[in-house]
Amino acid sequence: MKEESLHIIEHEIALLVRLTTAYSPRLGELDRSEYLLLSELDNHSPLAINVLADKLMLNLSTASRQVASLEAKQFIHRFPDPQNGRISLVEITAEGQAILRKVQKARYAVYKEVLQDWSNEELEILEANLIRLNQDFKKWSR
């Protein structure tokens, strides 16, 4: 493996995270953690908080705080698991879906503008490599 490539990749990923975080206030009313949590619940509701924490690679206390914050905003609903009342399930609410759609629309518009000069082939390569990188990070952390 080429050391210079690793240094460049590490730096570029750090810069990408910084740039997307810096522009996030312009992309809607959700921070990165709220956006990811609502996205996960939009795709897989309802979920137990521990399952949600595992999917997003959060410790349980962090996930619980984020769930409480989103619940206070009425973006999610928490209720007891019908099969095990000791477990709380969470699901996205209509308000949560509405804010998520609004933020997704803003984010998609930015990415469309930023990536407008990329060919379809370049976009497909980026997509495949980002998916692979995220999957490899998830495997590595286990």
Side-chain angles (χ1 to χ4, degrees):
M1 198 173 290
K2 206 170 137 189
E3 287 294 318
E4 183 180 342
S5 290
L6 288 176
H7 287 291
I8 292 169
I9 290 166
E10 182 279 326
H11 175 78
E12 292 299 324
I13 290 173
L15 182 58
L16 177 63
V17 170
R18 175 66 194 120
L19 291 172
T20 57
T21 302
Y23 291 118
S24 65
R26 293 167 55 188
L27 302 179
E29 299 136 33
L30 298 174
D31 66 28
R32 179 178 38 93
S33 61
E34 291 172 328
Y35 178 80
L36 290 172
L37 197 141
L38 287 178
S39 294
E40 192 65 40
L41 288 173
D42 190 46
N43 291 323
H44 304 289
S45 271
L47 288 174
I49 295 173
N50 64 321
V51 173
L52 186 59
D54 188 52
K55 285 180 170 283
L56 296 175
M57 302 187 69
L58 300 169
N59 66 47
L60 191 53
S61 64
T62 300
S64 294
R65 279 193 307 277
Q66 291 177 356
V67 162
S69 173
L70 289 171
E71 187 176 30
K73 295 176 182 179
Q74 299 182 339
F75 294 159
I76 63 171
H77 169 69
R78 185 187 329 217
F79 59 96
D81 184 336
Q83 280 129 17
N84 183 348
R86 296 173 294 161
I87 296 174
S88 288
L89 297 177
V90 290
E91 65 184 354
I92 192 167
T93 63
E95 294 86 354
Q97 286 178 322
I99 192 73
L100 179 62
R101 297 293 176 266
K102 182 179 175 186
V103 171
Q104 284 173 332
K105 185 177 178 182
R107 291 171 65 96
Y108 294 162
V110 168
Y111 279 99
K112 185 175 184 178
E113 186 175 337
V114 169
L115 298 171
Q116 70 183 343
D117 294 332
W118 291 46
S119 70
N120 286 338
E121 181 182 3
E122 289 170 320
L123 290 173
E124 289 169 4
I125 290 169
L126 177 62
E127 176 187 350
N129 285 325
L130 286 172
I131 290 169
R132 181 178 176 189
L133 180 62
N134 281 327
Q135 289 171 343
D136 288 346
F137 263 112
K138 286 180 181 179
K139 282 191 283 187
W140 170 80
S141 69
R142 302 242 175 232

